[in-house]
Every structure is written in C-alpha cells, then in structure tokens.
C-alpha cells in the first residue's frame, strides 16, 4: 500500500515541479517516462491486479494532474505524505526522488529560478542538502 500511495504522490510532485514555470514541456514528460523505466521500476516489484507495475502510477498521476485543473500544491501534498510515512523513506528512495526531480528540471533548458526553489525545498524536506 505504501508504494501505491508513494507513486501517486510522486506523480503529483513531479508534475508540479515541471509545471512550476507555467507549462509542462514535452522534454520534461519524456524524461519522467524514461526515469520511471530506469529508476523506479527496478525499485520493487509491486503490481496491480492486472500485473501492471505500480511504478506506472507515477506517470498516471502526472498525466492526471496535467489534464485537470488542480489547485492542490504537489510539494505540500508530498510533504504531508512524507511526514506520515517518514519511516518508509530509505536513503535509496529519497535519493531517487531528488535525482528524478533534478533530471526533470534539467530536461528543458536547465533549471529556472522556480524549479531551483522547488528543488531546494524538496532537498530540505528529505534532508539531502
């Protein structure tokens, strides 16, 4: 259950990072897709009732945020989730989150001011700075 909730929260988090400059760029979406395959699918082997790897929820959640008018702040939502489930956040998971966020931010013309502020807040939350 933790991973299902984690992946949903990560989709929101990564969407809000990508959208922090007002528009999600195709390069950011492509980078996320590639990182799910490379970093998140190998993390653990949970699957839904149809055999689909639960790490796909990251992209499903990201796409949902893209298609809806969302008023919730992805970083605040993630922070609340983190506070409740802090004991499940291994160094490996925290590092993957920071690395993924950094690569998404770099995917289109490098990090801008808003993305850097978002990353700084995320790193502070995960005690990685």
């Amino acid at each position: 259950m933790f991973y299902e909730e984690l992946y949903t929260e990560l989709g929101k988090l990564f969407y809000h990072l990508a959208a922090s400059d007002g528009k999600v760029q195709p390069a950011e979406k492509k980078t996320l897709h590639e990182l799910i395959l490379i970093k998140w699918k190998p993390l653990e082997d949970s699957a839904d009732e149809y055999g689909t790897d639960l790490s796909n929820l990251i992209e499903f959640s990201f796409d949902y945020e893209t298609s809806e008018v969302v008023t919730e702040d992805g970083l605040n939502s993630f922070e609340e989730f983190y506070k409740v489930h802090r004991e499940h956040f291994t160094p490996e998971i925290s590092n993957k989150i920071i690395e993924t966020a950094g690569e998404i931010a770099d995917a289109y013309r490098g990090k801008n001011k808003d993305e850097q502020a978002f990353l700084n807040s995320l790193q502070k939350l995960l005690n990685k700075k």
Side-chain angles (χ1 to χ4, degrees):
M1 188 67 177
F2 167 73
Y3 284 104
E4 185 174 347
E5 292 177 46
L6 172 66
Y7 295 148
T8 300
E9 285 297 323
L10 289 177
K12 287 192 256 182
L13 179 75
F14 297 146
Y15 166 78
H16 285 273
L17 169 63
S20 66
D21 59 357
K23 185 174 191 301
V24 176
Q25 298 295 331
E28 294 167 321
K29 173 82 168 109
K30 181 178 185 254
T31 296
L32 174 63
H33 178 76
E34 291 168 355
L35 292 171
I36 291 169
L37 296 174
I38 296 166
K39 290 186 182 290
W40 293 100
K41 283 193 183 213
L43 177 64
E44 49 84 42
D45 60 358
S46 61
D48 67 13
E49 63 269 20
Y50 305 106
T52 303
D53 192 296
L54 283 183
S55 64
N56 288 312
L57 287 173
I58 299 170
E59 197 161 13
F60 298 155
S61 178
F62 185 100
D63 289 343
Y64 176 81
E65 298 289 308
T66 302
S67 67
E68 298 296 316
V69 177
V70 179
T71 57
E72 180 182 36
D73 180 309
L75 185 57
N76 288 340
S77 178
F78 181 77
E79 184 174 0
E80 292 304 313
F81 175 78
Y82 177 76
K83 287 177 181 176
V84 172
H85 301 283
R86 186 182 314 244
E87 72 279 0
H88 296 293
F89 280 80
T90 64
E92 179 184 20
I93 291 172
S94 295
N95 288 336
K96 283 181 187 298
I97 293 168
I98 296 297
E99 291 166 4
T100 301
E103 289 187 47
I104 290 168
D106 280 336
Y108 182 73
R109 297 185 182 174
K111 295 176 190 79
N112 64 37
K113 184 180 79 167
D114 294 328
E115 290 168 334
Q116 189 60 57
F118 191 104
L119 289 170
N120 290 345
S121 296
L122 181 59
Q123 289 171 332
K124 184 177 177 184
L125 174 67
L126 296 173
N127 298 315
K128 295 293 174 188
K129 193 169 183 185

